[in-house]
Amino acid sequence: MRFQDVISINDFRKEDIDYVLRVAERLEEELKKEGTLKYAKGKVLATLFFEPSTRTRLSFESAMHRLGGAVIGFAEASSTSVKKGESLMDTIRTVENYADVIVIRHPREGAARLAAEVARVPVINAGDGANQHPTQTLLDLYTIKKEFGKIDGLDIALLGDLKYGRTVHSLAKALSYYNVRLYFVAPKGLEMPRHIVEEISNKVEIVETSDLEAVIPKVDVLYVTRIQKERFPDPAEYNKIKGSYKVDLKVLEKAKDTLKVMHPLPRVDEIAYEVDNTKYSAYFRQVWSGIPVRMALLGILLGVIK
Amino acid sequence: MRFQDVISINDFRKEDIDYVLRVAERLEEELKKEGTLKYAKGKVLATLFFEPSTRTRLSFESAMHRLGGAVIGFAEASSTSVKKGESLMDTIRTVENYADVIVIRHPREGAARLAAEVARVPVINAGDGANQHPTQTLLDLYTIKKEFGKIDGLDIALLGDLKYGRTVHSLAKALSYYNVRLYFVAPKGLEMPRHIVEEISNKVEIVETSDLEAVIPKVDVLYVTRIQKERFPDPAEYNKIKGSYKVDLKVLEKAKDTLKVMHPLPRVDEIAYEVDNTKYSAYFRQVWSGIPVRMALLGILLGVIK
Amino acid sequence: MRFQDVISINDFRKEDIDYVLRVAERLEEELKKEGTLKYAKGKVLATLFFEPSTRTRLSFESAMHRLGGAVIGFAEASSTSVKKGESLMDTIRTVENYADVIVIRHPREGAARLAAEVARVPVINAGDGANQHPTQTLLDLYTIKKEFGKIDGLDIALLGDLKYGRTVHSLAKALSYYNVRLYFVAPKGLEMPRHIVEEISNKVEIVETSDLEAVIPKVDVLYVTRIQKERFPDPAEYNKIKGSYKVDLKVLEKAKDTLKVMHPLPRVDEIAYEVDNTKYSAYFRQVWSGIPVRMALLGILLGVIK
């Protein structure tokens, strides 16, 4: 990889992504054979979570342990020097003395980029505000590749709040590197932002629609995200839409046999529990993908994996 | 052991308990000889404490480190996805991808059982509401066995709030597997529930009383628990009882020389500090027992100890 | 070292300090050569932070990992048994069963000393109220020694709130073991307490002044600390003083070429950011010093380093 930090999926060329996915695959195999690995033995990861995100934090910490390394950090900002008025820059220039790599989650957009500019050690962005969460995108791609053996040639629907959901923005951009057809399925008012559609529409075929039913039979992947109640001025409107976008067995009746349903989690009720144990459900295997992908990123940035 | 999880002491047959105690003894010896062991090398424990319990959490984490393993987790629910409305089931199906064994503490009764049913990895209950805390019971038994070289043949008093105290319910049931005489010493209104007395009264001899003084000279073990102020409608009543159930040097004057006082801790003032450095005090050694017992359970469930 | 705990810098003779600094130097070299060390393999550190102090906690935890050991603990008191009314003594007598060494931070003066008296395992004070923070003092001395190759013969200014700042009290006492000249530079009303000046004035030359400008050209080390707004009855007075004690490029114009600026951090605005990348700035290297110094203390107290 040509860079030292993982801040935004926009920094990744296609070959960077493919490289991470290949390393992740290799590590997953080694993990299965040997149990915990030793690449990061003696290395320390600092997880600086200025806002809580338990699943992301635990995923990184598990990945670091599986690589043989150690972890320090904090799970929320309440107990940090930030309260004493310290700048993020000073916090980073302190912590870089304690750790070999930093994972940062911060409510402020741009915080991860700033941290990376300041730090001598590599920095991984685990979410900064509504902005970027690049490791989620990479694990999404990894999941698709594992489920189908490839990404090229697939029909992929992104469903839900496509306007505000940062996950789907990053994923759409990353998928545009591949030979795929994208379906953007959103209720009115929550469509994918124009600037993203324009940015990628010359690279991939895009179908925009609000009609989930019509899309279902056509796609290989249905990527579901939350539709947040607070986005709707009228609760009645929300309830109507919520109903028609809930993925349950009935909705999946006309799906291809090989359809895979994905979700970045946590879900609230976008996917009915009855889907969990069907052949369609891939969202818990998607959680697992976070381990090899984050192991790959940690290992590459630490310079212990070539 | 015939099961994969540790949810309730009721799931244990006598031979299961004896097996755990034997493994714990063996591990304690190995620990003394070799320092930290390697059984859980490369394994990851997730401690999910949806309500705080520092001593229990630290005990499990220390046990895992002593076994050579690593730990991830959270100390209270405030910073988890639960706030975003995620179900416990989804949390478990996420975390099982990050860890080889899960320890859960949850304020809701039945939460640990649910977690165990969902998870592919083993689950240990570290307390679910007023319900069960099986590892406490096992370490209590282990302590008695270590102090006396046996459990059979002992006279054991359980003292305090026997109505609401889950610790004493579980302990009473587990002790009923052995050839012991039990004294239930409680103030009026806080007696051991009828259903427990009935359940075990055909297996062990039970003496129910509110008279601590009369019991003291007869017993080998005095197991003390807290009497909680909020259980009493009348504060004056509480203060009277509190005084007559406080274990101090005077109360212990007529005790057997070999009496051992135990307590699950934390104590408030049920046991006077003056007792700490007497031959009677076993409650801090009881804390230590948590380490080998939890090492044994972790090792057995992880399949690394036969 | 002749003692088992690190509670107050006052317990240290000069030869104790020199010993710790020598061990720290050795460990820093080994760390550079070998990466993580193995001295504390199989040992467990418990970090008991009854009040939050993220940088100190992370520094200790990183030091323990760099020594090859494991860490358990809590970052703030909210989730501990303290809430249930447990005494500090009982907490310590519990945790000593889980760990080989304890680091404690507590808001109450004397808490660390009490913990050390109770515990069978070594205790390190990471700050108890306005009282002591001995590892900060040791890392300050270590930094000076590394920057200049020696401590003897230097002119050292302590700047800021010298009345309430515990860091400068401990540092002044420790520096009085060496052949140095000390400048106490404080605004009126925040001068170094008389009892400290008297205690050390027969050992080192002391210059007391409020005139920072006059001191700057003379000193080798400028140790800056915060001046806290709340110490001033009149905000206007505070703003005036704050301005004249802010260390920026202009203030440093007449400094020796070899001047080193230090600060225990976190800073608010006592040192302008423009100083960070000059030859004067030593405060981020000072953060690093915490690692070898705390490794040395942990290793010595654990008995794994001779």
Side-chain angles (χ1 to χ4, degrees), chain A residues 201-218:
Chain A
S201 62
N202 64 334
K203 297 191 232 156
V204 286
E205 194 187 330
I206 294 173
V207 180
E208 292 190 270
T209 176
S210 63
D211 184 354
L212 174 60
E213 219 190 310
V215 165
I216 285 282
K218 300 179 184 165

Side-chain angles (χ1 to χ4, degrees), chain A residues 42 79 86 90 94 98 100, chain C residues 36 54-55 62 66 267 273:
Chain A
S79 57
E86 187 180 50
D90 278 14
T94 295
Y98 304 156
D100 301 296
Chain C
T36 285
T54 304
R55 66 180 55 237
S62 179
R66 296 295 189 201
R267 75 170 146 181
Y273 285 105

